[in-house]
Amino acid sequence: MTSRFSIAALAGTLVRRRETSDGPSGPLTAWSARDLVAAIATRRISAVEVMEAFLDRIDALNPTVNAIIGLQDRGAMVRAAEASDRVVGAGIPLGALHGLPHAVKDLEPVAGLPFTMGSPIFAHDIAGHDSLPVERLRRAGVTFIGKTNTPEFGLGSHTVNPIWGATRNPYDLSRSAGGSSGGAAVALALDMVPLADGSDYGGSLRNPAAWNNVYGFRTGMGCIPADTNDDWLPSPGVVGPMARNVGDLALMLSVMAGRDIRAPLSEACDTAALRMVEPASLRGKRIGWSGDFGGAVPFDPGVLDTCRQALDRFAAMGADIVEVVPDFPVEEAWRAFVGLRHWINGSGMIDLYRDPAKRAGLKPEAIWEIEGGMALSAYDVSALSAVRTRWSRAVASVFRRCDLWIVPSAQVFPFPIEQDWPRHVGGVTMTSYHEWMKVACLVTLAGCPALAVPAGFNDGGLPMGVQIVAPVHGEAACLAAAAAYEEVAGDVLSRRPVLNRDSVQNPGGGVTP
């Protein structure tokens, strides 16, 4: 636990920021998570004030975008905030997120809250326990106000499901929010929550972060302990933090990361060091850029040009940008990714498939994954994993030449919300519901941490991002580079969603910018 006095110091020590000596101003919902917890801990503001401000903003904006689902009773949430204030008044040591409202992605169980995973099979389920990541958030002092929307079972990067409906992009309400952490990204972009959690297998933290102009951090396997079907053959899917700025991202990661004896492959880490991230000096650093991977990964027009705006910022800080492509056939790596995903995802859903009544409730993508896994032998899986190893070693060779690796976060700009997934990218026909996410999946296959940062906007005002990738166990390096980037990317980071600008009044304490 962190004392209330050390929490009060977080706002000034996590990341250097340009603020007035009077501290933050404007509506409470626009304050950083660090400033909110510091102000609650020192009783400058109350947890009740914070809760009511965010609930008012959710009431005003969420009906339009459908990012937060299963919102809990307002009276109960205010009473929980009152209890948080009593803890502060009693001088009891506080958690690092004490008093913050929080909505959990609907792929993680939160005791007493809906747990549907976007599937009609679980439409009426209420979780009876907390997952390991949720346990840590609860101990850190958050109040759970609801869930964030996700596609069925997190399959695909478009947040729509038959239980809760579609989540809309606040930069263009006719467009997808991405996914599978789409609800989380939109809630952040519109200041409906101070922090968010997500998960990522093939880009589910990175694509929606790019499409909503926020940060999403795919940490390495084992960094954040999570509940899995098999402790010893871990899935490449990981849980990770999302935030509106790097300091908040570091704070949340420090809460979520670290060893847990119930997750035997989880890694010990210095969470205090993660929390105290400082911007890295990038002068003289070599940053690799893969672009379209030598033509092996297609992109829609304008995506790479927008991503190069981020590269220009790194170059302006003194970094040396070099063209690199891992020395391994991309298509062979992609086939390994598809096969391993069949096996891992199919293993998690096979019991549903074997029940005819439940199988009828599975989306086609789920059936495709399960049946693809059923067609694999144990020897097939071993061979695919060997290909993954060769790919990851090729990526490791990139880091012998470069300090960091930059790749786009997505291959297309947000597409129309009525579309289930892009059938063509850059003139190339996509053969599966996730092939258009190949640029993110290739990073997943390497096992590296990847922090998605905003890169810029196209002429139509749609956002895009890039991934800052570091060697395995290099989460701190990702954070330090992102903190440096944040200092020179204010023109992108300050660009607010269309919905936000069109709002007349923010009930959370002031006029919306």
Side-chain angles (χ1 to χ4, degrees), residues 303-314:
V303 172
L304 293 178
D305 290 338
T306 305
C307 291
R308 289 188 184 98
Q309 296 174 23
L311 288 180
D312 291 344
R313 293 183 173 89
F314 282 105

Side-chain angles (χ1 to χ4, degrees), residues 324-366:
V324 296
V325 176
D327 186 17
F328 191 87
V330 168
E331 279 309 306
E332 188 175 350
W334 171 246
R335 287 193 295 271
F337 176 89
V338 172
L340 289 170
R341 184 173 168 91
H342 281 327
W343 169 59
I344 292 169
N345 276 11
S347 296
M349 297 183 289
I350 187 65
D351 288 343
L352 302 176
Y353 181 88
R354 287 171 174 159
D355 182 329
K358 292 179 179 177
R359 184 191 307 178
L362 291 172
K363 64 190 291 188
E365 291 84 355

Side-chain angles (χ1 to χ4, degrees), residues 121-401:
I121 298 171
F122 304 112
H124 305 293
D125 280 22
I126 302 296
H129 71 285
D130 291 342
S131 68
L132 297 186
V134 170
E135 277 186 13
R136 294 190 170 190
L137 293 171
R138 192 184 294 276
R139 286 200 303 267
V142 304
T143 296
F144 295 113
I145 62 172
K147 307 295 285 289
T148 55
N149 203 20
T150 184
E152 283 183 73
F153 300 112
L155 297 177
S157 193
H158 179 33
T159 299
V160 59
N161 64 69
I163 306 302
W164 304 103
T167 298
R168 295 181 178 273
N169 192 306
Y171 285 89
D172 183 336
L173 296 174
S174 71
R175 302 279 170 161
S176 169
S180 61
S181 308
V186 172
L188 278 175
L190 289 174
D191 297 336
M192 293 192 290
V193 290
L195 294 167
D197 63 88
S199 55
D200 187 303
Y201 191 130
S204 292
L205 280 161
R206 295 163 283 167
N207 276 18
W211 286 6
N212 291 278
N213 210 42
V214 296
Y215 295 89
F217 199 179
R218 178 193 161 84
T219 55
M221 294 166 62
C223 178
I224 298 174
D227 298 286
T228 61
N229 292 327
D230 188 332
D231 287 341
W232 299 104
L233 291 174
S235 166
V238 300
V239 175
M242 303 184 78
R244 299 170 293 179
N245 58 72
V246 177
D248 284 357
L249 194 73
L251 172 61
M252 189 164 184
L253 179 58
S254 74
V255 167
M256 301 178 77
R259 180 126 170 76
D260 189 300
I261 61 172
R262 293 166 294 179
L265 299 184
S266 60
E267 299 280 346
C269 66
D270 186 347
T271 55
L274 291 175
R275 187 177 299 172
M276 304 299 289
V277 61
E278 290 285 341
S281 172
L282 296 177
R283 185 163 299 280
K285 299 293 185 182
R286 288 172 62 85
I287 293 180
W289 163 248
S290 289
D292 64 0
F293 287 73
V297 178
F299 287 85
D300 270 358
V303 172
L304 293 178
D305 290 338
T306 305
C307 291
R308 289 188 184 98
Q309 296 174 23
L311 288 180
D312 291 344
R313 293 183 173 89
F314 282 105
M317 289 187 282
D320 183 17
I321 310 297
V322 296
E323 298 272 349
V324 296
V325 176
D327 186 17
F328 191 87
V330 168
E331 279 309 306
E332 188 175 350
W334 171 246
R335 287 193 295 271
F337 176 89
V338 172
L340 289 170
R341 184 173 168 91
H342 281 327
W343 169 59
I344 292 169
N345 276 11
S347 296
M349 297 183 289
I350 187 65
D351 288 343
L352 302 176
Y353 181 88
R354 287 171 174 159
D355 182 329
K358 292 179 179 177
R359 184 191 307 178
L362 291 172
K363 64 190 291 188
E365 291 84 355
I367 298 289
W368 180 73
E369 294 284 13
I370 296 166
E371 293 181 346
M374 292 170 66
L376 297 170
S377 72
Y379 292 111
D380 292 332
V381 171
S382 180
L384 293 170
S385 192
V387 173
R388 172 172 57 178
T389 295
R390 294 199 295 274
W391 171 255
S392 67
R393 288 175 179 170
V395 170
S397 294
V398 168
F399 292 114
R400 287 198 284 271
R401 300 164 51 196

